[in-house]
Amino acid sequence: MREAGILRPGAVALVTGASAGIGAATAAALAGQGVRVICAARNRTRLAAAVEQLGPGAHALPLDVTDAGSVAGLIERLPADLREIDILVANAGHDVGGRQRFDLGDVDDWARTIETNVTGLVRTCHAVIPGMLARGRGHVVTLGSIAGLRTFKHGSVYAATKYAVRAFTETLRADYGDTDLRITEILPGLTRTDFAATRHRGDTARAAAFYDSFPGTLDPEDIADAIVYALSRPAHVTVAQMLVMPTREK
């Protein structure tokens, strides 16, 4: 009989960027599978509210993926029974100040996008993967984007980070190809979350107009479903990459 995958009641998952959007939806979906979910995010207030909704199987971990010390010490800051992480969903992302021509953007905004989307991902994986290797089990899911497959106007730095996520994830899969670790990249198309409002520094009307300008969008739960599918495959199967798109596009 084929060995079951890692998604099972009692497994431990760490989800970054879990206070809203795709991260919150993924945490909820995993909790619904009986997984003990460590919800990590910078915004403590929103994080606490998200964890309260999930109930006793969820644990809040204040985490800033751009802070080297915060990430390096994340395992030690967890309760002893949550330190053996089976699943990492590296979802934390940033695009504040994005969606404008490169020279008109603030270079500090561009740098923070790189620090979150690329360096933060690298730091988080580096903190979690050694434990997975030592235990001989683990599944890492990175959140890429359709922007990691094709560029778009006014998306220079964001697209560059998502191309980097794709290259990093593919190389991780090669690095651990002789182990039982599984490495998956999920590449969402346009997903309606508060990401656009955050990008435009809280301008919800502008964010709504942006999403409404497209014939179709995804919901965060659609991406969470894709993540659960990848995690639930039997141990001999790796969903290496999954592109999830709205049925209707421009």
Side-chain angles (χ1 to χ4, degrees):
M1 180 178 292
R2 296 287 197 178
E3 183 181 351
I6 205 161
L7 185 64
R8 64 187 185 281
V12 177
L14 169 63
V15 181
T16 65
S19 62
I22 292 172
T26 300
L30 293 176
Q33 298 286 325
V35 173
R36 294 177 291 163
V37 185
I38 304 160
C39 298
R42 287 188 297 184
N43 189 314
R44 291 172 181 257
T45 302
R46 295 181 67 173
L47 179 61
V51 168
E52 184 177 5
Q53 286 188 331
L54 295 181
H59 176 82
L61 177 69
L63 181 70
D64 180 355
V65 300
T66 68
D67 182 331
S70 179
V71 180
L74 76 85
I75 300 295
E76 289 72 22
R77 290 191 287 121
L78 291 170
D81 64 334
L82 293 178
R83 292 182 179 181
E84 295 189 358
I85 296 170
D86 301 296
I87 297 163
L88 169 62
V89 181
N91 165 75
H94 187 287
D95 191 32
V96 174
R99 288 279 175 171
Q100 60 181 318
R101 201 176 72 185
F102 173 71
D103 61 294
L104 300 178
D106 185 319
V107 71
D108 289 333
D109 285 339
W110 299 146
R112 280 188 288 269
T113 296
I114 295 168
E115 183 69 16
T116 301
N117 297 1
V118 182
T119 309
L121 170 64
V122 170
R123 291 189 193 282
T124 305
C125 288
H126 198 266
V128 174
I129 286 177
M132 291 180 168
L133 291 170
R135 293 184 294 275
R137 68 178 191 273
H139 197 146
V140 175
V141 179
T142 64
L143 265 292
S145 169
I146 181 62
L149 294 173
R150 63 190 192 211
T151 58
F152 56 92
K153 186 178 180 179
H154 296 167
S156 57
V157 175
Y158 183 76
T161 66
K162 291 305 181 178
Y163 269 76
V165 170
R166 182 159 58 90
F168 176 69
T169 307
E170 290 181 0
T171 306
L172 285 186
R173 195 176 306 112
D175 280 354
Y176 302 120
D178 59 350
T179 76
D180 289 327
L181 265 65
R182 295 193 291 177
I183 312 291
T184 296
E185 182 186 15
I186 305 294
L187 298 93
L190 186 64
T191 305
R192 189 181 288 263
T193 69
D194 61 356
F195 195 72
T198 302
R199 174 192 292 133
H200 298 307
R201 308 184 198 280
D203 189 337
T204 55
R206 185 177 178 187
F210 168 73
Y211 288 126
D212 290 344
S213 70
F214 291 84
T217 60
L218 300 168
D219 296 322
E221 291 76 14
D222 298 322
I223 309 307
D225 287 345
I227 292 169
V228 168
Y229 175 83
L231 292 171
S232 65
R233 296 309 86 200
H236 71 288
V237 175
T238 293
V239 177
Q241 190 179 76
M242 187 187 300
L243 175 62
V244 187
M245 296 293 295
T247 299
R248 297 183 63 194
E249 290 190 85
K250 277 187 176 180

